[in-house]
Amino acid sequence: APGGGGPWSRFALGGLMLLLMPITMMMGATFPLLVRIESEAGRSAGAALGRIAAVSTAGAVAGTLLAGFVMVEELGLAGTVHASRVTGTLVGIVAVLMSRFTARAAQQDEATTDAPPPAVVETSLGPRILAVHVFLTGFVTMLFEVCMLKLTPLVLGSSLQSSSTVLAALLAGLTLGSAAAGIAAPRLARPERVLAILPCLIGLLLFLAVPSM
């Protein structure tokens, strides 16, 4: 049986982990990019880390509670999964549009003034947009996690192993994504563009990962 400890169970749990890892890696990659952008805006690394961690955790708490107590009950599991897909995609689309709009405005300002560039580089997303981005990324992450914890027993059977696999995939993906982005972030010329694209890719992968929902 899927929920047992036979070869099928191990194969299914391994496949589930491989399915979830790309999504959670992209979620984890947002953190170093946000720290890089916040640091370039003139904030100390400690202040940037504290701000991002606080806002991201608040979003995660909101996503966990809303999914567990409201959305799954009112929208059903399929509706909640769809909401996580749409939210992630919309966050990315808005971030891409805001990045392009503010970058174009900055270029126009530079073209119409002879003043030297400021010592502090302002992020093209803006602090409020970044805060919303961080909050919704944490929100979608835990919304997705709650959905998978609810969905996995329906597919693989209710077991400690299946729940542990979902949690391990989330944590491993966040770890690997953060580590990879931490290496790449200092080399990126425009990290805010990558940050804007990631939620779109997350939303796309959510549609592909659970196509029958």
Side-chain angles (χ1 to χ4, degrees), residues 196-211:
I197 293 172
L198 280 176
C200 297
L201 296 177
I202 291 171
L204 176 62
L205 284 176
L206 286 174
F207 275 102
L208 297 176
V210 198

Side-chain angles (χ1 to χ4, degrees), residues 40 61 68 97 113 136 174:
E40 287 188 347
V61 171
L97 294 176
T113 181
L136 289 178
L174 293 176

